[in-house]
Amino acid sequence: MDNLTHTLTGILLARSGLGRLAPHATALAVAAANLPDADVVSGAGGSLCYLAHHRGFTHAFFWVPLVALAPLPLWWLWSRRRHEVKRRDWLMAYLVSLAGVVSHLLLDALNVYGIRLLAPFSGGWLHADLVNIVDVWIWALLLVCVLGPMLARLVDSEIGARGGSGRGMAWAGLVLLCAYVGLRAELHAQATGALSTRLYGG
C-alpha cells in the first residue's frame, strides 16, 4: 500500500488505545507503520538492486521483531526530553512499534504487488490480490475516520463543549477497513469462481 494509507492506519491504531501505552506513542505508531518501506534506499544501487530488495527482509515475518526495534532509539531521544523513560515505557513502546510494523505487512500483503513474507526461508511472493496499491476508497474511509474527530473537536471548542478522544471513530475505521477488505475478498472469490465455470478453447 501507499504511505498515506500506512500513516492513516498508524494514527487510527494509536487512537484506538495504543496511544495511551507510552509517551509519544502516536508518532511512534506512524513511524513504525511506514518503517518497512525504508528498503526504498536500495534504489540508490540501481533499479536491479531495488527490485532485488524491495519488500524483502523488512517485510518478512521473521524480521518483524528486529524491524520493530529500529525506531525505538529515536523515540527514546525524543521522549526523555520531557519524561523519565521507565522500563515499562520501553516495553509498551515496543508493542506499539510492533503493531505498526505488523499493520504494514498485513496491508501490503493484500494488494497485487505482494511481499516476501517468508524471507529468508523462501523468496516467494505472497499477495492476496484484493486491493490496489493505491486504493482511493481506503483513503476516503481512513481520512473520514482520522479527520472527523478533529473537526468535531474544533466545533466543540467553538461552542464550549468537551471534545471526544476519537477512540470510537478509530475503532470504527479499523472495523470498516476490515469489512471493506472482506467485501473485496468475497467479490474476488465470486469472480474467480465465475471464471472457473467457463471453458475457453474447447
Side-chain angles (χ1 to χ4, degrees):
M1 302 300 288
D2 62 284
N3 291 102
L4 176 59
T5 300
H6 291 306
T7 297
L8 295 174
T9 302
I11 293 172
L12 291 184
L13 286 173
R15 286 187 186 170
S16 68
L18 293 180
R20 301 180 180 183
L21 296 181
H24 307 297
T26 299
L28 178 60
V30 169
N34 284 281
L35 187 63
D37 281 341
D39 61 8
V40 73
V41 300
S42 62
S47 57
L48 289 179
C49 182
Y50 176 77
L51 289 173
H53 297 288
H54 183 52
R55 295 197 178 185
F57 86 93
T58 59
H59 290 70
F61 187 74
F62 180 79
W63 297 107
V64 163
L66 185 61
V67 174
L69 283 173
L72 294 187
L74 286 177
W75 166 82
W76 173 71
L77 288 172
W78 189 11
S79 298
R80 72 172 186 161
R81 292 163 47 185
R82 298 184 182 180
H83 310 278
E84 179 187 353
V85 180
K86 300 176 182 178
R87 184 177 298 177
R88 182 182 181 278
D89 293 332
W90 277 99
L91 176 60
M92 293 298 104
Y94 180 70
L95 292 178
V96 170
S97 182
L98 197 62
V101 172
V102 169
S103 75
H104 186 111
L105 269 58
L106 290 175
L107 287 170
D108 276 3
L110 293 175
N111 59 45
V112 296
Y113 196 113
I115 58 175
R116 286 174 275 193
L117 186 66
L118 301 180
F121 307 107
S122 170
W125 290 80
L126 299 178
H127 47 91
D129 299 336
L130 298 181
V131 296
N132 297 315
I133 294 176
V134 176
D135 193 308
V136 293
W137 294 108
I138 291 179
W139 277 5
L141 169 65
L142 297 180
L143 281 169
V144 166
C145 293
V146 167
L147 298 179
M150 295 169 63
L151 293 174
R153 281 196 293 271
L154 183 62
V155 172
D156 290 341
S157 67
E158 289 295 322
I159 63 176
R162 184 178 178 184
S165 64
R167 188 174 186 181
M169 198 68 155
W171 275 106
L174 295 173
V175 170
L176 287 173
L177 176 60
C178 292
Y180 173 72
V181 171
L183 175 62
R184 294 293 299 256
E186 175 61 25
L187 294 174
H188 184 270
Q190 290 179 12
T192 54
L195 285 173
S196 67
T197 61
R198 300 292 185 266
L199 293 176
Y200 295 94

